Amino acid sequence: MTLTRGRAKTDQEIQLDVLAEIARDFRFKPAELGVEVDGGIVTLTGTVSGFRKIGEAAELATGVPGVRDVANELTVNPVATFRDDTAIARAVRNALEWDAVVPDDRIDSIVRHGVVTLTGTVDYGFQRKMAADAIANLNGVVFVNNHIRIVPPVRSDADIYGELTAALRRRFPSEDLDAIVDAGTVTLMGTVPSYRIRREAEGVAWATHGVQALTNNIVIA
């Protein structure tokens, strides 16, 4: 949709753009998702075939210009994904073992009524995320509780700050971004033009060696 320069999108225009993005994304069937917009706030409704699609749909919507926030009311179809917990647990273990980045020998899982709870420890934030991603779309999984703890190698705050800010400058040379590091906890600061860049900056921070926790205070302007 072409937008006249300087004119804010109407809710109807935003709705049509979100629906268009969903329609051209091979991961979704158009009939799965409903989209309502009120004051730039998008509400997603409907039933999808897998847990991962809930987050993917929200990310798709937040990337549409004009969207301010997303209320995600999507649910997983329990009939389409039915599988007994023993079979799910076996599939979870296989998925963790097959992922070369995930230290599967340090991660445990509990499955109850399709809800998977992950526990254990990893060195880095991206490993924690990838462990959940590896199982989120398995048949039968309706939700993932990620309780994996990050226990990184000991590293000074100054070293973490140096690596992180250098990575942010390389990745986003035109953005005004900075960080505070205190005992391995990173607080991201600055202003960016989109949710996509805000999320990507968070990913850069989690990929920095030594980061134990993260607060994203980057503002969308």
Side-chain angles (χ1 to χ4, degrees):
M1 176 176 293
T2 301
L3 182 64
T4 303
R5 185 179 297 275
R7 180 176 69 82
K9 282 184 179 180
T10 66
D11 286 344
Q12 184 179 19
E13 289 172 333
I14 294 172
Q15 180 189 39
L16 291 174
D17 284 351
V18 173
L19 287 170
E21 288 298 308
I22 292 170
R24 74 185 190 89
D25 193 306
F26 70 92
R27 296 172 297 183
F28 302 101
K29 299 176 182 178
E32 285 184 316
L33 278 69
V35 178
E36 299 176 3
V37 185
D38 184 8
I41 298 174
V42 173
T43 300
L44 299 176
T45 59
T47 303
V48 293
S49 59
F51 170 70
R52 180 181 289 182
K53 285 187 176 182
I54 294 177
E56 290 173 339
E59 289 188 5
L60 194 67
T62 57
V64 173
V67 173
R68 299 176 60 190
D69 297 288
V70 175
N72 195 341
E73 298 181 0
L74 293 172
T75 58
V76 176
N77 183 350
V79 175
T81 61
F82 178 76
R83 200 178 193 183
D84 68 73
D85 287 344
T86 300
I88 295 172
R90 188 177 299 113
V92 166
R93 178 50 51 190
N94 288 338
L96 294 174
E97 290 177 351
W98 291 339
D99 194 313
V101 177
V102 175
D104 60 277
D105 58 329
R106 294 163 55 189
I107 297 174
D108 298 315
S109 69
I110 298 173
V111 183
R112 181 174 174 79
H113 303 315
V115 177
V116 181
T117 300
L118 296 177
T119 58
T121 63
V122 294
D123 293 333
Y124 307 115
F126 73 88
Q127 292 174 317
R128 180 181 187 273
K129 180 179 184 300
M130 291 188 71
D133 287 348
I135 68 170
N137 226 27
L138 294 176
N139 186 30
V141 173
V142 298
F143 194 78
V144 177
N145 289 315
N146 193 346
H147 294 167
I148 296 172
R149 294 184 299 113
I150 302 167
V151 184
V154 177
R155 197 174 187 206
S156 73
D157 289 344
D159 286 345
I160 295 172
Y161 177 82
E163 179 184 336
L164 171 56
T165 52
L168 290 172
R169 285 194 297 270
R170 286 194 304 271
R171 185 71 175 272
F172 313 106
S174 61
E175 306 301 338
D176 180 22
L177 295 174
D178 200 358
I180 296 173
V181 184
D182 183 13
T185 297
V186 170
T187 301
L188 292 175
M189 303 176 297
T191 303
V192 296
S194 70
Y195 284 99
R196 178 185 60 80
I197 295 177
R198 185 178 189 270
R199 289 196 307 271
E200 290 179 359
E202 187 170 313
V204 170
W206 275 125
T208 302
H209 296 174
V211 173
Q212 300 183 43
L214 175 66
T215 299
N216 192 343
N217 288 342
I218 296 173
V219 176
I220 310 298

